Amino acid sequence: MMLRRGFILFLPRLVGLLVVACCSMSIVYMLACTPKGDNEQPALPRVHSPTAKEGYEAILQEREEQHRNYIISLKRQIAQLKSELQGRNKQLKNVQEQYPDPLDIQLDHSNSEKAQANLLAFLRSQIDKAEVHSGVKLSTEYAAVPFESFTLQKVYQLETGLTRHPEEKPVRKDKRDELIEVIDLGVASLNSPEGNGNAKHRVYTASDFIEGIYRTEKDKGTLYELTFKGDIKHGFKKIVLFRPFGPVMKVKNENVNTADTLINVIVPLAKRASKFRQFMQNFREMVIQQDGRIHLTVVYFGKEQMNEVKSILENTSKSANFKNFTFIQLNEEFSRGKGLDIGARFWKGNNVVLFFCDVDIYFTAEFLNSCRLNTQPGKKVFYPVLFSQYNPSIIYGHHDAIPPLEQQLVIKKETGFWRDFGFGMTCQYRSDFINIGGFDLDIKGWGGEDVHLYRKYLHSNLIVIRTPVRGLFHLWHEKQCPDELTPEQYKMCMQSKAMNEASHGQLGMLVFKQEIETHLHRQKLRNKKT
């Protein structure tokens, strides 16, 4: 009886303890399961408050809404990550299908990210191996890989052989497609927000493309340097691309401002006043009137015809209001290398681009831009391949008269050839010329000083840009081979003389002239009989 009475007295206490324990467990559960946030959570109502039930229900509803939003956000992020992963896998699959085995890369299909990283590392290593960022020391002048140049319509190529032309439209489809693709990529790079760096910019098209140069190192890839019109006067856009036997990779996208880039044209001269008059006429029309950022240095040897040459120079200065010239006179025997060396070292101004030129050279304002764009102090020197004119008397011998000079300067197989064996016309910064040691002044006789300087640059870490250019011409003049030359020098001189006269076909017509005339005479006799 007493046990029953004690149990009845203890039961309310036990129920109270159970209620308190349940409430405590509920509070702990809600605190543990609530996602952390920056917003301050509402305070829990007191257990003995009259509104405790309604308060708990409100809190539970709020917690349920927060969980629901949190789950929706997680689902959205998971879906986005899945979409990106599918896109990456598709890109990797396309690369693997396009470049499977020739790249000699073991693509781990089980690890797509690692495979993609390995492929990109290989392609970038091709850029590092190629002569893109710095020059490579070469053993001889024949080891240099020359560039070839192109515009939207034409390709200017060195290796013409017997069937190709020095200037032609790309006949092979793969070559056309290659150059079109590169120009399109350059335009796309200029129009991309990353390349332009400004949300508001004009839209570039292929018509803004000026010219490009390219060369292929057969074990590495093809390097392209594209020049486009810039946004300011004398401004250009330059895009460097590289095809490492795979997708083209953008190497550089830079603005090039040549507005303040002065060129010092250095011309060594002895006699030849009539040729200098023709040179200054072109200099006035093409350089002074169209470009203007020029200094002319004439290094004259001897005194014969000197006054006539000085008079031509002074008359041009007065008529064209041109004051940027220097006349240096030397009382000694003509030496081209010494004249250029003295002219380069005579300059006392800031670092300047030097253009070593001859009096029988015709160049345009477009060439001067190429000279500026392909030189960089401590980095690049420019060795353009000029187009050498054949003897106009032979080329136009069947015409009534020889056309004016401007009409003769056409890049065709019948009118001339790329003078790829000549290294005399070159552009470089004066600092590079001084640092390399200048010309070897001990070389005597016919030629040699230009090749020696060219070899110096090839043996350095400077990049040598060697490419045919459409705005640089060697005008034909009769070549004299003096008797005092050594047999080897005389042979070289005569070979050069023969190459300057006419093409193979035109020389053949001269050799077989008698045979051709005999054939024509026979044809006339037959026609009379019939």
Side-chain angles (χ1 to χ4, degrees), residues 383 433 436 438-439 449-457:
Y383 269 83
F433 176 78
I436 209 71
F439 283 103
E449 80 287 336
D450 51 355
V451 178
H452 190 269
L453 178 65
Y454 182 59
R455 288 173 179 170
K456 282 186 178 182
Y457 284 125

Side-chain angles (χ1 to χ4, degrees), residues 218-481:
K218 295 185 178 179
D219 59 340
K220 301 176 184 70
T222 303
L223 173 66
Y224 308 88
E225 295 190 14
L226 312 179
T227 302
F228 292 81
K229 297 175 185 176
D231 298 325
I232 59 174
K233 186 179 181 181
H234 305 308
F236 300 87
K237 293 281 189 176
K238 196 161 189 179
I239 303 292
V240 180
L241 304 171
F242 187 75
R243 187 193 300 274
F245 297 120
V248 177
M249 303 176 70
K250 182 175 72 175
V251 177
K252 189 186 298 182
N253 184 348
E254 62 179 352
N255 292 318
V256 182
N257 187 357
T258 63
D260 299 324
T261 305
L262 185 70
I263 297 179
N264 186 2
V265 181
I266 303 177
V267 181
L269 185 63
K271 305 177 185 178
R272 307 186 72 184
S274 60
K275 282 289 184 182
F276 186 69
R277 180 177 286 103
Q278 184 183 48
F279 175 86
M280 288 306 298
Q281 181 180 349
N282 168 61
F283 188 86
R284 175 178 177 172
E285 295 174 355
M286 291 293 173
V287 180
I288 299 176
Q289 295 178 358
Q290 297 187 29
D291 189 278
R293 295 158 291 160
I294 287 292
H295 186 95
L296 175 63
T297 300
V298 178
V299 183
Y300 196 85
F301 290 81
K303 293 184 177 180
E304 188 176 353
Q305 299 184 18
M306 182 187 71
N307 292 332
E308 187 177 355
V309 168
K310 290 181 68 175
S311 175
I312 295 170
L313 189 58
E314 290 169 358
N315 289 338
T316 303
S317 173
K318 292 177 182 178
S319 60
N321 193 24
F322 178 70
K323 307 298 182 183
N324 296 331
F325 69 91
T326 302
F327 186 86
I328 304 171
Q329 196 265 334
L330 302 175
N331 290 319
E332 53 187 275
E333 185 182 355
F334 178 81
S335 170
R336 182 179 187 272
K338 187 170 185 178
L340 294 172
D341 199 273
I342 289 176
R345 297 179 187 275
F346 191 84
W347 178 263
K348 303 303 180 185
N350 296 330
N351 200 11
V352 66
V353 177
L354 304 176
F355 171 37
F356 294 153
C357 188
D358 287 338
V359 72
D360 49 16
I361 296 298
Y362 180 101
F363 57 91
T364 65
E366 287 75 17
F367 164 74
L368 295 176
N369 280 333
S370 298
C371 187
R372 294 182 178 98
L373 291 167
N374 289 296
T375 53
Q376 188 174 347
K379 184 115 182 216
K380 291 192 294 187
V381 295
F382 186 39
Y383 269 83
V385 180
L386 52 78
F387 193 76
S388 191
Q389 182 191 31
Y390 287 139
N391 187 344
S393 299
I394 297 177
I395 300 172
Y396 306 102
H398 59 287
H399 291 201
D400 295 334
I402 298 177
L405 178 61
E406 289 73 14
Q407 297 180 21
Q408 297 177 33
L409 301 179
V410 181
I411 300 177
K412 289 185 178 180
K413 198 170 185 179
E414 298 77 20
T415 60
F417 64 98
W418 291 117
R419 202 179 186 89
D420 57 340
F421 55 84
F423 307 99
M425 308 314 124
T426 173
C427 299
Q428 65 267 288
Y429 271 86
R430 183 179 181 274
S431 57
D432 293 327
F433 176 78
I434 299 298
N435 292 335
I436 209 71
F439 283 103
D440 185 351
L441 303 182
D442 295 329
I443 296 177
K444 304 296 181 182
W446 185 79
E449 80 287 336
D450 51 355
V451 178
H452 190 269
L453 178 65
Y454 182 59
R455 288 173 179 170
K456 282 186 178 182
Y457 284 125
L458 292 179
H459 297 165
S460 73
N461 289 324
L462 294 170
I463 299 175
V464 177
I465 304 294
R466 180 77 168 153
T467 178
V469 291
R470 65 186 186 276
L472 187 63
F473 295 88
H474 178 268
L475 302 181
W476 181 87
H477 60 86
E478 187 175 359
K479 181 177 287 293
Q480 302 292 338
C481 298

Side-chain angles (χ1 to χ4, degrees), residues 22-85:
C22 290
C23 292
S24 300
M25 289 178 66
S26 299
I27 294 171
V28 171
Y29 173 78
M30 285 186 292
L31 290 175
C33 295
T34 301
K36 294 181 179 181
D38 296 332
N39 297 330
E40 192 174 318
Q41 305 296 335
L44 291 173
R46 295 180 179 180
V47 176
H48 299 289
S49 172
T51 60
K53 183 176 180 181
E54 291 82 358
Y56 282 128
E57 289 179 351
I59 292 173
L60 288 175
Q61 288 180 356
E62 185 176 350
R63 296 293 190 274
E64 184 179 358
E65 184 67 22
Q66 290 176 350
H67 280 294
R68 187 180 295 109
N69 294 335
Y70 185 61
I71 292 171
I72 292 173
S73 175
L74 288 177
K75 287 181 177 180
R76 188 182 299 114
Q77 294 180 37
I78 291 171
Q80 185 176 355
L81 290 173
K82 283 183 177 180
S83 176
E84 291 180 1
L85 183 60

